[in-house]
Amino acid sequence: MPELADTGRRIKELRVSAGMTQHDLAGSEMSSSYISLVERGKRIPSGRALKILAARLGVGVDEISAAGEPVESPGRVRRLDLVGRLVAARRQWEGGDAEGALSEFRALAESDPAGRQDDVFTEAQLAIAEILGTLGRADEGAEVLLRMLDALAPAPYAEARLRALIALADLLESAGRVQDGLRYALTGSLECADRHPGTGFHSLLVLDVLTRCAYWSGCPDWAPDTDHGRPPADGVFPGPRAVIDLHRALDLRDRGEAERAAALLGECARRVTPAAGFPLWEKINGHYALLLLDRGETAAARGIVERGLVVASVAQEPGFPLWLTTAQAVGAQAAGDRGRLVELGEEVAALPDTGRSHEKAAALLEIAAACERAGDRERAAGHFRYSAELFRRAQAYRHAERARERLADLLEKRG
């Protein structure tokens, strides 16, 4: 059996020769730190991880685990060329040229089927759909994925099919179509539960998107709690685990179990750093600050918000810090600063309604409640009404009903 250090060194040699960074090789399933540990012989990659790494590097598993030099076959050269083009297109996209990357991914997807590996086709199609989603063209992206699913229908439970289901559910949730997303997330969950070989690797990704879609659809019990309590894999899946915990905490809060919600979200906030992605980190910390404000822990909540806004400023994050701003607005109400509450509430209300409109709706619901506590019932009514409408558009009908109930209670009191 080859030495662990030899395996790590071989992975590094292949990665460098393919012109890939540790981030490129990690993809969405692993972290750069995990790849670094493997390359330095500090971690033993599982058999499944070796298969994933080999596929990304365009080699067989034996070429990673064997000490000898790989044979430069025409097929391997062709694969390395295609993988190199995939990596270059993704770098082009990450560099800000989404349209140029889209064109390159389409060229890869439309290349000669006789000389094209199926995994390259899959990666290109998934990237096309993801880019279209970020460009606000979710319907086009969904069509790409639906065509993939139609082509893969004769071979159910294949990895490519499962990845397409996950991507489609994620795309639809991101576009504010949570119940449409839930349908495909449930399909993916059922196919994972079939225990077909090779699908267990994606089970956490399925649970992530299923938990999100189920929560916003008002059916949180549809997402199984099978992952809860499992220790996180070192360097693998930090994002999905955190998202699952976040939405489980939100459901606990909605059920009136504030203590359990705060404990779960507090642990999540301690575990996740900005390196996991600022949008996720910001969301977790903003929600945690809101829970602390509900419990009267205003100083702790203010510290979280101030630190988060400093990180956003230093990192020059382009996205609007929705949940930190919402917590800041609610904190202003707790401090008696009604003017600041109104200012921040108007800033949130003015955000575009595209994308995750259910997130904006939930933020407005928090601000509406703060306005009501501050005695500004007119402005509270407006935010409750707007929140209910946004929830309705996003297919989050149970959340919309709760917003309408809050509005009706407020109007009854005002009357």
Side-chain angles (χ1 to χ4, degrees), residues 156-183:
Y157 316 123
E159 180 179 309
R161 172 180 169 80
L162 186 55
R163 292 184 66 192
L165 285 167
I166 294 169
L168 183 54
D170 182 69
L171 177 66
L172 293 171
E173 188 269 334
S174 300
R177 295 166 55 184
V178 296
Q179 292 202 3
D180 291 339
L182 179 60
R183 182 165 65 252

Short mmCIF file of all heavy atoms in Angstrom, two decimals, residues 156-183:
data_model
loop_
_atom_site.label_atom_id
_atom_site.label_comp_id
_atom_site.label_asym_id
_atom_site.label_seq_id
_atom_site.Cartn_x
_atom_site.Cartn_y
_atom_site.Cartn_z
N PRO A 156 -31.79 6.22 -13.65
CA PRO A 156 -32.02 6.91 -12.38
C PRO A 156 -30.93 6.62 -11.36
O PRO A 156 -30.24 5.61 -11.45
CB PRO A 156 -33.37 6.35 -11.92
CG PRO A 156 -33.47 5.02 -12.58
CD PRO A 156 -32.79 5.18 -13.91
N TYR A 157 -30.80 7.53 -10.41
CA TYR A 157 -29.86 7.43 -9.30
C TYR A 157 -28.41 7.64 -9.71
O TYR A 157 -27.51 7.44 -8.90
CB TYR A 157 -30.00 6.10 -8.54
CG TYR A 157 -31.43 5.72 -8.29
CD1 TYR A 157 -31.94 4.51 -8.73
CD2 TYR A 157 -32.29 6.58 -7.60
CE1 TYR A 157 -33.26 4.17 -8.51
CE2 TYR A 157 -33.61 6.25 -7.37
CZ TYR A 157 -34.09 5.04 -7.83
OH TYR A 157 -35.39 4.70 -7.62
N ALA A 158 -28.16 8.00 -10.99
CA ALA A 158 -26.79 8.30 -11.40
C ALA A 158 -26.34 9.60 -10.72
O ALA A 158 -27.15 10.46 -10.40
CB ALA A 158 -26.72 8.44 -12.91
N GLU A 159 -25.05 9.73 -10.51
CA GLU A 159 -24.53 10.92 -9.81
C GLU A 159 -24.88 12.19 -10.56
O GLU A 159 -25.25 13.20 -9.96
CB GLU A 159 -23.02 10.80 -9.65
CG GLU A 159 -22.41 12.00 -8.93
CD GLU A 159 -20.91 11.87 -8.75
OE1 GLU A 159 -20.48 10.82 -8.24
OE2 GLU A 159 -20.19 12.80 -9.15
N ALA A 160 -24.75 12.18 -11.89
CA ALA A 160 -25.06 13.38 -12.67
C ALA A 160 -26.51 13.80 -12.49
O ALA A 160 -26.84 14.99 -12.39
CB ALA A 160 -24.75 13.14 -14.15
N ARG A 161 -27.41 12.81 -12.46
CA ARG A 161 -28.83 13.12 -12.27
C ARG A 161 -29.07 13.74 -10.90
O ARG A 161 -29.80 14.72 -10.76
CB ARG A 161 -29.65 11.83 -12.43
CG ARG A 161 -31.12 12.00 -12.07
CD ARG A 161 -31.88 10.69 -12.25
NE ARG A 161 -33.20 10.79 -11.66
CZ ARG A 161 -34.24 11.37 -12.24
NH1 ARG A 161 -34.11 11.93 -13.42
NH2 ARG A 161 -35.42 11.42 -11.63
N LEU A 162 -28.43 13.19 -9.87
CA LEU A 162 -28.61 13.71 -8.52
C LEU A 162 -28.07 15.13 -8.41
O LEU A 162 -28.68 16.00 -7.80
CB LEU A 162 -27.92 12.80 -7.52
CG LEU A 162 -28.13 13.13 -6.04
CD1 LEU A 162 -29.62 13.21 -5.70
CD2 LEU A 162 -27.44 12.10 -5.16
N ARG A 163 -26.93 15.38 -9.03
CA ARG A 163 -26.37 16.73 -9.00
C ARG A 163 -27.28 17.72 -9.72
O ARG A 163 -27.41 18.87 -9.30
CB ARG A 163 -24.98 16.73 -9.64
CG ARG A 163 -23.95 15.97 -8.83
CD ARG A 163 -22.58 16.09 -9.45
NE ARG A 163 -22.08 17.46 -9.40
CZ ARG A 163 -21.02 17.89 -10.08
NH1 ARG A 163 -20.36 17.05 -10.86
NH2 ARG A 163 -20.63 19.13 -9.98
N ALA A 164 -27.91 17.28 -10.81
CA ALA A 164 -28.84 18.16 -11.53
C ALA A 164 -30.06 18.47 -10.67
O ALA A 164 -30.56 19.60 -10.67
CB ALA A 164 -29.26 17.52 -12.85
N LEU A 165 -30.56 17.49 -9.93
CA LEU A 165 -31.70 17.72 -9.03
C LEU A 165 -31.34 18.71 -7.94
O LEU A 165 -32.13 19.62 -7.62
CB LEU A 165 -32.15 16.39 -8.41
CG LEU A 165 -32.91 15.44 -9.31
CD1 LEU A 165 -33.01 14.06 -8.66
CD2 LEU A 165 -34.31 15.98 -9.62
N ILE A 166 -30.15 18.55 -7.35
CA ILE A 166 -29.71 19.47 -6.31
C ILE A 166 -29.58 20.89 -6.87
O ILE A 166 -30.05 21.87 -6.27
CB ILE A 166 -28.37 19.01 -5.72
CG1 ILE A 166 -28.54 17.68 -4.98
CG2 ILE A 166 -27.79 20.07 -4.77
CD1 ILE A 166 -27.22 17.02 -4.59
N ALA A 167 -28.95 21.00 -8.04
CA ALA A 167 -28.74 22.31 -8.65
C ALA A 167 -30.07 22.97 -9.01
O ALA A 167 -30.24 24.18 -8.84
CB ALA A 167 -27.87 22.17 -9.90
N LEU A 168 -31.03 22.18 -9.50
CA LEU A 168 -32.32 22.74 -9.88
C LEU A 168 -33.09 23.23 -8.66
O LEU A 168 -33.67 24.33 -8.68
CB LEU A 168 -33.14 21.68 -10.64
CG LEU A 168 -34.50 22.12 -11.18
CD1 LEU A 168 -34.37 23.36 -12.04
CD2 LEU A 168 -35.15 20.99 -11.96
N ALA A 169 -33.10 22.45 -7.59
CA ALA A 169 -33.77 22.88 -6.36
C ALA A 169 -33.13 24.15 -5.82
O ALA A 169 -33.82 25.09 -5.40
CB ALA A 169 -33.73 21.77 -5.32
N ASP A 170 -31.80 24.19 -5.83
CA ASP A 170 -31.08 25.36 -5.33
C ASP A 170 -31.37 26.59 -6.19
O ASP A 170 -31.60 27.69 -5.67
CB ASP A 170 -29.59 25.07 -5.32
CG ASP A 170 -28.78 26.22 -4.76
OD1 ASP A 170 -28.87 26.48 -3.55
OD2 ASP A 170 -28.05 26.87 -5.54
N LEU A 171 -31.38 26.42 -7.50
CA LEU A 171 -31.65 27.53 -8.41
C LEU A 171 -33.04 28.10 -8.19
O LEU A 171 -33.22 29.33 -8.14
CB LEU A 171 -31.49 27.05 -9.86
CG LEU A 171 -31.81 28.07 -10.96
CD1 LEU A 171 -30.79 29.19 -10.94
CD2 LEU A 171 -31.81 27.39 -12.33
N LEU A 172 -34.03 27.23 -8.05
CA LEU A 172 -35.41 27.69 -7.88
C LEU A 172 -35.59 28.38 -6.52
O LEU A 172 -36.29 29.40 -6.43
CB LEU A 172 -36.37 26.51 -8.02
CG LEU A 172 -36.44 25.91 -9.43
CD1 LEU A 172 -37.24 24.62 -9.42
CD2 LEU A 172 -37.04 26.90 -10.42
N GLU A 173 -34.96 27.85 -5.47
CA GLU A 173 -35.05 28.52 -4.16
C GLU A 173 -34.39 29.89 -4.22
O GLU A 173 -34.91 30.87 -3.70
CB GLU A 173 -34.40 27.65 -3.09
CG GLU A 173 -34.60 28.15 -1.66
CD GLU A 173 -33.52 29.08 -1.19
OE1 GLU A 173 -32.39 28.99 -1.68
OE2 GLU A 173 -33.79 29.91 -0.29
N SER A 174 -33.24 29.97 -4.90
CA SER A 174 -32.53 31.24 -5.02
C SER A 174 -33.33 32.26 -5.80
O SER A 174 -33.19 33.47 -5.59
CB SER A 174 -31.17 31.02 -5.70
OG SER A 174 -30.37 30.13 -4.96
N ALA A 175 -34.17 31.78 -6.72
CA ALA A 175 -34.98 32.67 -7.54
C ALA A 175 -36.31 33.02 -6.89
O ALA A 175 -37.13 33.71 -7.50
CB ALA A 175 -35.22 32.03 -8.90
N GLY A 176 -36.54 32.56 -5.66
CA GLY A 176 -37.80 32.86 -4.98
C GLY A 176 -38.96 32.00 -5.45
O GLY A 176 -40.09 32.46 -5.50
N ARG A 177 -38.67 30.73 -5.73
CA ARG A 177 -39.71 29.77 -6.11
C ARG A 177 -39.54 28.55 -5.20
O ARG A 177 -39.16 27.48 -5.64
CB ARG A 177 -39.60 29.40 -7.59
CG ARG A 177 -39.88 30.56 -8.53
CD ARG A 177 -39.44 30.29 -9.95
NE ARG A 177 -40.00 29.08 -10.51
CZ ARG A 177 -39.69 28.60 -11.72
NH1 ARG A 177 -38.82 29.25 -12.48
NH2 ARG A 177 -40.25 27.50 -12.17
N VAL A 178 -39.85 28.74 -3.93
CA VAL A 178 -39.45 27.76 -2.92
C VAL A 178 -40.22 26.45 -3.03
O VAL A 178 -39.65 25.38 -2.79
CB VAL A 178 -39.57 28.35 -1.51
CG1 VAL A 178 -38.61 29.52 -1.34
CG2 VAL A 178 -40.99 28.79 -1.18
N GLN A 179 -41.48 26.49 -3.39
CA GLN A 179 -42.23 25.23 -3.49
C GLN A 179 -41.83 24.45 -4.73
O GLN A 179 -41.81 23.22 -4.71
CB GLN A 179 -43.73 25.52 -3.45
CG GLN A 179 -44.19 26.02 -2.10
CD GLN A 179 -45.68 25.82 -1.87
OE1 GLN A 179 -46.38 25.24 -2.69
NE2 GLN A 179 -46.16 26.30 -0.74
N ASP A 180 -41.52 25.15 -5.82
CA ASP A 180 -40.99 24.45 -7.00
C ASP A 180 -39.66 23.78 -6.64
O ASP A 180 -39.40 22.63 -7.03
CB ASP A 180 -40.78 25.43 -8.15
CG ASP A 180 -42.10 25.95 -8.72
OD1 ASP A 180 -43.13 25.28 -8.51
OD2 ASP A 180 -42.08 27.02 -9.34
N GLY A 181 -38.82 24.50 -5.88
CA GLY A 181 -37.55 23.93 -5.46
C GLY A 181 -37.74 22.73 -4.55
O GLY A 181 -37.00 21.75 -4.63
N LEU A 182 -38.74 22.81 -3.67
CA LEU A 182 -39.00 21.72 -2.73
C LEU A 182 -39.32 20.42 -3.47
O LEU A 182 -38.89 19.34 -3.05
CB LEU A 182 -40.16 22.09 -1.81
CG LEU A 182 -40.59 21.05 -0.78
CD1 LEU A 182 -39.45 20.70 0.15
CD2 LEU A 182 -41.80 21.54 0.00
N ARG A 183 -40.03 20.51 -4.57
CA ARG A 183 -40.40 19.31 -5.32
C ARG A 183 -39.16 18.55 -5.79
O ARG A 183 -39.07 17.32 -5.64
CB ARG A 183 -41.27 19.70 -6.53
CG ARG A 183 -41.74 18.52 -7.35
CD ARG A 183 -42.86 18.90 -8.29
NE ARG A 183 -42.45 19.84 -9.32
CZ ARG A 183 -42.79 21.12 -9.36
NH1 ARG A 183 -43.53 21.64 -8.40
NH2 ARG A 183 -42.40 21.90 -10.35
#
